[in-house]
Amino acid sequence: MDDAQTACAVFFVESIAEQMAHDKTTIGDVTFDLIAGHHHLNQFVSRRLLEQMEALEVIKPPTIMDRWTRKTKQQIARRTLWDLGSTSKEFLDFTYIRGYERVKRNAGPHAQTSDSRDQHGDPNESIVHRYFVRAGELFYRHVRGYEDVRTYVRLGDLTDVDSSVANRRLDIVAYDTNGSITATAEAERHPVESTGVVRDAEAMALVPGDTDWIVYAKPQLNDLLNTLDQHLITRPDGIPGWSKRRTGKPDAMDRLRRVWNHPDGSIPRLESEIVTEVYSIDNLRALLKENVPYIYEPVDPGGITWVGADN
């Protein structure tokens, strides 16, 4: 690439990295939210440069999981998204992208506030996962009306738990006006990977409030319910349809609510159900577009005032 192309490529990648770190980026004097997708970024560079960046692994279309198969899909919830390619990852500061937080060194509510350290947040290399979490956060704020919604929250800062699980993080935690937890949510890109799903379910079950999940589409919804069914549920005899492993949403979710039986008994209490609701990313997009359509309004790049543009 020549110097101008290189400058455009760096600008493009830094904008994506900023959105992965903080859900939004500022270009000129306009703020672009991740939830709107990357169509606006495409308008700043030529199609040929996009193709060059993709060929050089500077950017790449994101992937979704179809059971154990990775599938490249440029459109997520009908939004254009780019992920960071291997070339970009060699030069980017992933400490910044992942984020640092000041957290209590010890688990539980009795740790001294002065006893703190910098600790990594959730690793957000995947634009898809970050997009799912952003959609869930905005859903709780604008559709459910919860004013206090936090992301990547440490379990030990929410409830008094054993130190072995205190550093697990929940993707989304929403609070009511009294400061009580009213809902938690996990964005699950790969619901047939049982270890991660089970760990997330265990963590959310220790916290009060609704227990919600965000998946890509209906097949992943069924995979999620089946994974929880296989690994966290003891299937009693005599329940019609149980042996057929029916995956219709109401039937499967009703099964999951009936029985809790963790193999090694390590969970001291069950504050909430394993599943309250499962949303596909298209569900959330439709709800957000209906309730807060302005977040999807296109931005005219021609209206951007660039810093130093008169020089």
Side-chain angles (χ1 to χ4, degrees):
M1 293 183 181
D2 61 28
D3 290 345
Q5 288 175 316
T6 300
C8 287
V10 170
F11 156 79
F12 197 92
V13 167
E14 286 183 342
S15 297
I16 294 174
E18 181 75 9
Q19 287 185 329
M20 291 179 73
H22 299 296
D23 301 313
K24 58 189 69 175
T25 188
T26 300
I27 301 174
D29 57 356
V30 178
T31 298
F32 296 88
D33 197 290
L34 171 62
I35 201 67
H38 292 149
H39 174 68
H40 65 277
L41 283 180
N42 290 2
Q43 298 180 65
F44 288 101
V45 298
S46 68
R47 180 64 208 172
R48 180 174 178 178
L49 180 55
L50 285 171
E51 292 171 350
Q52 284 182 293
M53 287 193 289
E54 190 173 358
L56 293 170
E57 286 286 328
V58 174
I59 58 175
K60 64 180 181 180
T63 58
I64 60 170
M65 296 300 299
D66 183 3
R67 297 194 63 76
W68 293 104
T69 304
R70 290 182 179 273
K71 290 190 173 181
T72 300
K73 193 170 182 65
Q74 184 84 50
Q75 292 282 312
I76 306 294
R78 305 184 190 180
R79 299 292 104 183
T80 300
L81 290 179
W82 290 103
D83 216 337
L84 299 173
S86 59
T87 302
S88 297
K89 290 181 178 181
E90 291 180 18
F91 297 97
L92 285 168
D93 180 358
F94 267 82
T95 294
Y96 172 79
I97 292 173
R98 291 169 177 161
Y100 276 95
E101 293 179 322
R102 298 294 294 179
V103 299
K104 296 177 183 177
R105 185 183 301 274
N106 302 314
H110 304 298
Q112 297 297 314
T113 55
S114 60
D115 184 21
S116 62
R117 63 187 169 91
D118 286 327
Q119 179 172 304
H120 271 97
D122 197 73
N124 299 319
E125 296 96 335
S126 166
I127 199 72
V128 175
H129 183 266
R130 187 65 188 177
Y131 191 87
F132 284 13
V133 172
R134 183 59 171 167
E137 178 188 3
L138 292 174
F139 165 75
Y140 281 134
R141 290 185 187 279
H142 297 293
V143 180
R144 289 282 181 84
Y146 304 140
E147 293 185 6
D148 188 1
V149 184
R150 307 174 194 179
T151 58
Y152 307 113
V153 183
R154 183 175 170 272
L155 184 59
D157 291 335
L158 296 174
T159 185
D160 192 7
V161 294
D162 186 82
S163 59
S164 63
V165 296
N167 285 325
R168 295 185 188 178
R169 291 181 180 269
L170 301 182
D171 285 340
I172 306 172
V173 179
Y175 299 80
D176 63 19
T177 54
N178 296 319
S180 300
I181 298 172
T182 190
T184 58
E186 280 292 319
E188 189 53 64
R189 295 178 57 242
H190 193 198
V192 296
E193 198 286 297
S194 60
T195 302
V197 172
V198 169
R199 283 168 58 90
D200 291 343
E202 291 172 346
M204 287 199 291
L206 296 174
V207 181
D210 290 349
T211 302
D212 298 333
W213 298 78
I214 303 167
V215 297
Y216 178 66
K218 186 176 179 180
Q220 287 73 41
L221 180 153
N222 287 332
D223 285 338
L224 171 70
L225 297 176
N226 277 336
T227 298
L228 294 172
D229 187 352
Q230 292 176 47
H231 296 278
L232 288 177
I233 298 294
T234 297
R235 302 196 261 323
D237 297 330
I239 295 181
W242 198 281
S243 61
K244 296 180 181 179
R245 305 188 58 73
R246 291 165 58 191
T247 57
K249 182 176 174 180
D251 176 78
M253 290 179 67
D254 181 61
R255 286 208 313 264
L256 293 170
R257 290 187 180 106
R258 292 185 204 179
V259 185
W260 171 269
N261 181 34
H262 190 264
D264 62 8
S266 64
I267 296 180
R269 65 186 185 279
L270 179 63
E271 292 285 351
S272 60
E273 297 170 343
I274 305 167
V275 176
T276 303
E277 186 61 273
V278 184
Y279 298 96
S280 74
I281 192 64
D282 280 339
N283 289 152
L284 293 184
R285 181 197 60 82
L287 289 166
L288 289 171
K289 198 161 188 179
E290 177 183 351
N291 287 271
V292 278
Y294 64 85
I295 67 175
Y296 288 106
E297 290 178 358
V299 175
D300 178 12
I304 293 177
T305 301
W306 295 91
V307 176
D310 55 342
N311 295 333

